[in-house]
Amino acid sequence: MSIRIYNTLSKRKEDFKPLEPGKVKMYVCGPTVYNLIHIGNARPMIVFDTVRRYFEHKGYEVNYVSNFTDVDDKIIKKSVEEGVDAEVISERYIAECKKDMAALNVKPATTHPQATKEIPGMLDMIHTLIAKKHAYVAEDGTVYFKTRSFKEYGKLSHKNIDDLRGGNRSLLVTGEDQKEDPLDFVLWKPKKDGEPYWEAPWCNGRPGWHIECSVMSKRYLGDEIDIHAGGEDLIFPHHENEIAQSECCNDKTFAKYWMHNAFLNIDNHKMSKSLGNFFTVREILDKYDPQVLRFFMLSAHYRSPLNFSAELMESSKNGLERILTCADNLKYLADKAETQELSQDEVKLLHEVDSYIGRFDEAMDDDFNTADAISVIFDLVKFINSNVNDNSSKGFVNGLKAQFVILADILGLKVEREAELLDSDIEKLINERQEARKAKNFARADEIRQELLDKGIILEDTREGVKWKKA
Ligand code: AMP
Ligand code: ZN
């Protein structure tokens, strides 16, 4: 069966047919980098990373592009507050965002372009749009896109152009009264004192928000792509405007499939910086293992709203624990198994695992239903727990473990974590700490204690020697 994707454009599930066999070109709108990301921002990162992992599992080569918006009013405001260049702010938060992504086991994108490094491409696209009469230059040098010149405007958000007003972000610009039509939106705007700017023929200034994604998608993936994705707040006006710019510039269908995740809410309100009702990823990772947050995000289908609560995080923690305990148990049994060869019954049982894999794939093929995929993993845990014991052969236990690890990895869960914790590196570190203490090098000893703590290991110095336990 092929993968079916709910396409915002057609409002139905469609069979995924790649533009090029065996390849997926996908673009995911990334964060504006002026602060630590909150867990709402982490939802698209985790969800679309899982989409990517599933495509890769199915043998596709995925070219995954996700941008950082590094020029924006909020970044500039923060740079003024701190008295540093805007670039200092954006580079700082790009680095922090990458740390959060790594902790959440979100794979780095094939390319992470940044708006400020793509200005020549933006100038080119704006030139083309002006030449094709889809854009015009106002008296103060602001360049506007002529929204009504794109006959299909509204096709993604299913809005009628006559019912629309200008999008919020585009209303923030100067020269509002110079628009020919309130629906027109900014492609390029004049510089203000103290703000970063680039030279351009119309005026020295900076790009509007929407043009960056059209340009970066074109540069790194080409004029036509398979999937364009982001949170549902981006459908209008951001993605609608991206389509208008790209299709008017390139005369090609911009993206075949448009995927949008629903909001992560708190008390049933969208979590957002502007409402102040957010938790940063960092705050949550102080309290929980990153895998718990990842598991929590995947416990609902990506198109369903998800309400953040301590209770749900606790149940995610317990759910994850069941999975990790099963993997631990398999490792323990494999290590102590005496026979290598599978018995006939074990061969049969191992074949039964195929039906779980089949059900897992069915769930993921159905618009990436991770909630159902997780319940299949729970069923597999039950199956494994009731079929392995101290007499199981190594071949059987390792066979089960291999399948189990593959499924967990598609969801980005590292079930062999505890195996990593038990490995000899950690024992070595404990010994090194003892040596450092003997040599009165307490700084190094403390460093090692912290290093182990970061890996979830707590050391206890007792009369019988050093003992350790999991955090
Ligand atoms: P921003 O930095 O606000 O442009 O957001 C970056 C990405 O996070 C976009 O794809 C947004 O749609 C997404 N996003 C922001 N807030 C939430 C939320 N509360 N729930 C889900 N996605 C969100
Ligand atoms: Zn975008």
Side-chain angles (χ1 to χ4, degrees):
M1 219 180 87
S2 67
I3 297 175
R4 291 173 65 71
I5 298 181
Y6 180 88
N7 191 348
T8 308
L9 204 54
S10 63
K11 284 172 113 176
R12 56 183 182 79
K13 287 183 196 166
E14 295 175 23
D15 285 340
F16 176 74
K17 294 203 186 80
L19 289 163
E20 222 181 298
K23 294 194 174 167
V24 180
K25 292 191 267 187
M26 90 186 258
Y27 186 99
V28 182
C29 290
T32 307
V33 279
Y34 66 102
N35 217 328
L36 292 175
I37 58 163
H38 61 70
I39 55 175
N41 300 133
R43 189 171 190 193
M45 287 176 185
I46 292 171
V47 158
F48 297 116
D49 175 67
T50 307
V51 167
R52 170 197 189 164
R53 284 169 182 270
Y54 188 61
F55 274 121
E56 286 174 347
H57 167 71
K58 287 281 158 189
Y60 287 94
E61 188 188 307
V62 183
N63 191 345
Y64 190 99
V65 176
S66 188
N67 66 303
F68 289 114
T69 296
D70 62 349
V71 55
D72 168 272
D73 290 335
K74 288 177 262 168
I75 300 173
I76 294 169
K77 185 166 171 265
K78 184 133 186 166
S79 78
V80 172
E81 280 164 14
E82 289 195 19
V84 294
D85 284 349
E87 199 183 347
V88 173
I89 302 291
S90 55
E91 291 300 327
R92 181 196 304 157
Y93 290 111
I94 287 172
E96 296 299 338
C97 178
K98 285 184 176 172
K99 279 189 212 160
D100 287 340
M101 286 168 61
L104 295 168
N105 204 20
V106 170
K107 289 186 180 192
T110 317
T111 316
H112 276 294
Q114 290 171 231
T116 56
K117 300 192 173 144
E118 304 291 336
I119 302 292
M122 299 193 211
L123 298 180
D124 275 355
M125 190 175 279
I126 297 171
H127 269 299
T128 307
L129 290 171
I130 295 173
K132 291 173 104 174
K133 309 244 180 301
H134 288 295
Y136 59 94
V137 188
E139 228 168 80
D140 69 349
T142 306
V143 186
Y144 290 104
F145 184 87
K146 203 186 270 201
T147 302
R148 283 182 195 274
S149 75
F150 180 52
K151 296 293 165 244
E152 293 177 88
Y153 194 84
K155 67 177 171 179
L156 180 71
S157 50
H158 306 281
K159 291 178 193 289
N160 184 330
I161 197 161
D162 294 320
D163 299 336
L164 292 175
R165 300 221 186 124
N168 291 340
R169 290 222 194 186
S170 58
L171 286 173
L172 292 174
V173 301
T174 55
E176 190 63 20
D177 50 346
Q178 303 178 53
K179 283 186 184 183
E180 288 175 4
D181 182 324
L183 284 180
D184 297 346
F185 59 89
V186 166
L187 299 174
W188 189 262
K189 57 187 161 189
K191 76 177 176 100
K192 287 194 209 143
D193 280 349
E195 291 190 349
Y197 70 92
W198 290 264
E199 286 180 3
W202 320 289
C203 65
N204 290 346
R206 62 183 169 104
W209 173 37
H210 317 297
I211 193 77
E212 67 175 85
C213 291
S214 285
V215 166
M216 294 189 262
S217 182
K218 180 180 169 78
R219 172 156 184 206
Y220 295 101
L221 297 171
D223 290 352
E224 292 174 285
I225 69 170
D226 294 291
I227 298 172
H228 197 114
E232 66 181 6
D233 52 337
L234 300 186
I235 299 173
F236 184 84
H238 185 52
H239 287 165
E240 199 71 75
N241 291 355
E242 282 187 39
I243 294 178
Q245 297 163 156
S246 295
E247 300 198 354
C248 288
C249 174
N250 305 326
D251 294 315
K252 302 240 173 68
T253 301
F254 180 31
K256 262 180 107 174
Y257 307 92
W258 286 84
M259 296 179 73
H260 294 99
N261 63 274
F263 292 144
L264 177 76
N265 293 332
I266 188 152
D267 298 328
N268 297 311
H269 292 289
K270 181 196 173 193
M271 183 176 284
S272 78
K273 291 253 169 72
S274 52
L275 293 175
N277 61 348
F278 65 89
F279 290 112
T280 61
V281 168
R282 228 33 89 75
E283 284 170 319
I284 297 304
L285 298 194
D286 276 347
K287 294 200 190 117
Y288 296 93
D289 182 300
Q291 301 223 85
V292 175
L293 184 57
R294 184 157 182 133
F295 185 96
F296 162 78
M297 292 289 183
L298 299 177
S299 64
H301 186 263
Y302 75 91
R303 284 188 293 111
S304 304
L306 180 57
N307 208 38
F308 181 80
S309 69
E311 293 76 39
L312 268 184
M313 285 297 283
E314 278 310 307
S315 80
S316 298
K317 190 174 163 188
N318 295 336
L320 180 68
E321 199 51 46
R322 271 160 72 193
I323 294 174
L324 296 179
T325 307
C326 176
D328 280 353
N329 194 27
L330 289 175
K331 182 178 183 326
Y332 168 79
L333 291 175
D335 286 348
K336 74 186 282 276
E338 280 162 16
T339 40
Q340 178 65 42
E341 283 297 294
L342 282 81
S343 69
Q344 277 191 345
D345 279 351
E346 287 180 337
V347 171
K348 260 195 239 151
L349 284 168
L350 210 47
H351 278 307
E352 277 182 44
V353 174
D354 290 349
S355 72
Y356 291 89
I357 296 173
R359 282 174 50 212
F360 181 95
D361 281 5
E362 234 171 76
M364 292 299 280
D365 281 345
D366 185 14
D367 194 29
F368 308 95
N369 193 334
T370 53
D372 284 0
I374 286 175
S375 40
V376 176
I377 292 191
F378 283 147
D379 289 346
L380 182 57
V381 167
K382 269 189 230 150
F383 172 84
I384 291 173
N385 289 345
S386 51
N387 286 297
V388 291
N389 56 49
D390 287 351
N391 301 319
S392 300
S393 73
K394 209 184 203 55
F396 178 54
V397 176
N398 278 335
L400 290 173
K401 190 161 139 261
Q403 305 282 28
F404 193 62
V405 167
I406 288 173
L407 297 192
D409 186 58
I410 294 170
L411 301 179
L413 300 173
K414 292 189 265 188
V415 292
E416 291 187 292
R417 181 185 62 135
E418 293 190 59
E420 281 166 23
L421 291 178
L422 289 173
D423 73 24
S424 55
D425 287 347
I426 287 176
E427 299 292 340
K428 245 192 248 160
L429 278 174
I430 292 175
N431 289 337
E432 195 189 327
R433 176 171 171 270
Q434 292 302 82
E435 293 301 315
R437 276 155 56 111
K438 266 191 220 150
K440 302 214 179 315
N441 184 354
F442 297 111
R444 176 64 190 141
D446 286 348
E447 204 176 275
I448 294 173
R449 175 190 278 279
Q450 187 57 46
E451 216 174 305
L452 288 169
L453 194 61
D454 291 345
K455 290 180 179 167
I457 297 289
I458 299 173
L459 298 188
E460 279 177 274
D461 294 308
T462 70
R463 258 188 243 149
E464 295 83 49
V466 183
K467 288 192 175 159
W468 60 267
K469 64 174 187 190
K470 278 198 296 152

